[in-house]
Amino acid sequence: MDESPGWDAINAALRPLYGDTDPYHLGTVHKWALGGPDPLDGISVYARAEPEPHWHFVSYGMSELYEKESDDPDESGWGFEFTFRLVRDPAEETPPVWAANLLQNLGRYVFNSGNWFEPGHHMSVNGPIAAEREDSDIRAVGFVLDPELGEIMTPHGRVKFLQVVGLATEEYEALRQWNAGAFMDALAPHLPLFVTDVDRRSLLADPDLARAVREGIARDGSNSGLLYVTTAHWERDAGATTLRLGALQAPAVAESLRGRLPFGRELLLQTEDTVLTFRPADAFAVEQPGEGVLEVHVPPSALDDLTATLRPTAGSTAVPSLPGLTVEIVPTAMRDRYGNETGEVVG
């Protein structure tokens, strides 16, 4: 299309950083709006030398590039565009395609699920973020405001430049138990501009950083009050309740419960058709206030018993201190980045 004020606004935001430098641009031949598989119309990539050699990826397509279509006058499209900074070998002349695929996959998740991202959000990608690097420990991502691009206003509304940051497994486990913003702030001195290196190991090997994170978790608990999960269902019969959760996500639920309930905060597990809420309470109770909604009230003395049942192994376990409550862990079928089942099963 000839008129692309949203696209032009992104280019204008990049100009103070890159001047008239022509980026390496990856365009989409068959656009999402025309029935194609890729939600991003394009991704521009710039080679950077500082603070270390890296590629700077910037997406076009999560915001409204051409015409104003949404009803929200304040935000353009989903309200953000992705950025991603990846360590670059100075001898590299072209950026790796897998990184562009990562951004397309994240965009596809948003368009298909309706769940958008904001600074402070995070997710596991169920494998290395660089699909061909099976030995990589960078298997999750967090989202921060791009430290150089920030937020802009366009003719179609506000757009945040939302940077994707690769996280090691141990880091992601710690992040889920703490405040995501505080955790990323703690990592910032060790990750200038939040450049991702898929070859690095956990930064929590640094004893000072690890101690600061432990103290933060103990002091603040977790601010992650909502988890999107594939399985969070239940059956109720004559006063007995069986909760059914997926094996893959069970340990994450346990970590989140420990980071929420002792601090007086609830935890919501949301699927496509249900919402299961765990609430801190003085006495145990199970309530069903509406269709597809269940609330489990958990006293402090029962938390250890409850979390002990949340293991990545299929089976049913009664919770001794919560009479009538059973937790059933069911196998989880693993999916690839395109949402297709891989044949691998957890549990």
Side-chain angles (χ1 to χ4, degrees), residues 59-309:
S59 78
Y60 297 76
M62 301 305 296
S63 61
E64 292 164 309
L65 303 175
Y66 311 110
E67 298 176 347
K68 182 64 180 174
E69 297 178 354
S70 71
D71 296 329
D72 187 345
D74 297 325
E75 285 197 334
S76 176
W78 294 100
F80 65 88
E81 291 290 350
F82 292 115
T83 75
F84 181 54
R85 298 174 189 264
L86 178 67
V87 164
R88 174 178 64 88
D89 184 330
E92 280 185 314
E93 296 183 357
T94 58
V97 174
W98 71 258
N101 289 336
L102 171 66
L103 300 188
Q104 290 284 11
N105 291 334
L106 292 172
R108 193 175 294 114
Y109 167 80
V110 173
F111 274 73
N112 285 331
S113 70
N115 302 323
W116 63 92
F117 298 117
E118 295 180 3
H121 285 188
H122 48 84
M123 69 184 301
S124 168
V125 298
N126 298 329
I129 66 169
E132 68 270 20
R133 294 293 306 277
E134 284 296 329
D135 60 336
S136 174
D137 191 39
I138 307 302
R139 294 170 174 254
V141 295
F143 297 88
V144 300
L145 203 62
D146 187 294
E148 291 184 319
L149 294 175
E151 178 181 310
I152 62 172
M153 286 301 298
T154 77
H156 297 151
R158 181 175 53 246
V159 175
K160 295 183 178 75
F161 289 97
L162 196 59
Q163 184 168 324
V164 181
V165 183
L167 298 173
T169 302
E170 183 186 24
E171 295 163 359
Y172 185 57
E173 292 171 354
L175 179 151
R176 289 201 304 259
Q177 298 175 62
W178 194 20
N179 179 302
F183 182 83
M184 298 305 286
D185 287 345
L187 290 191
H190 305 266
L191 289 179
L193 290 184
F194 290 108
V195 174
T196 292
D197 180 356
V198 296
D199 291 324
R200 74 171 179 84
R201 295 301 175 185
S202 171
L203 295 174
L204 295 180
D206 181 310
D208 291 335
L209 177 60
R211 182 173 58 255
V213 170
R214 287 196 304 271
E215 292 173 351
I217 293 171
R219 181 185 64 246
D220 304 328
S222 171
N223 74 333
S224 298
L226 172 64
L227 297 179
Y228 292 104
V229 297
T230 55
T231 305
H233 300 95
W234 54 85
E235 291 181 2
R236 305 190 72 195
D237 182 30
T241 302
T242 298
L243 305 181
R244 189 168 292 114
L245 303 171
L248 177 65
Q249 293 156 329
V253 174
E255 291 170 2
S256 296
L257 285 170
R258 287 191 289 266
R260 297 287 296 178
L261 270 60
F263 295 86
R265 303 169 192 155
E266 64 185 19
L267 176 68
L268 280 71
L269 307 182
Q270 183 169 333
T271 72
E272 291 183 355
D273 54 1
T274 64
V275 177
L276 172 58
T277 303
F278 294 94
R279 297 187 187 279
D282 294 329
F284 170 57
V286 178
E287 299 176 351
Q288 191 162 359
E291 184 69 26
V293 179
L294 191 75
E295 297 179 356
V296 180
H297 298 254
V298 183
S301 59
L303 181 59
D304 287 344
D305 281 351
L306 177 59
T307 56
T309 69

Side-chain angles (χ1 to χ4, degrees), residues 9-22:
I10 296 171
N11 287 344
L14 292 167
R15 199 163 293 122
L17 283 180
Y18 299 114
D20 295 325
T21 300
D22 289 329

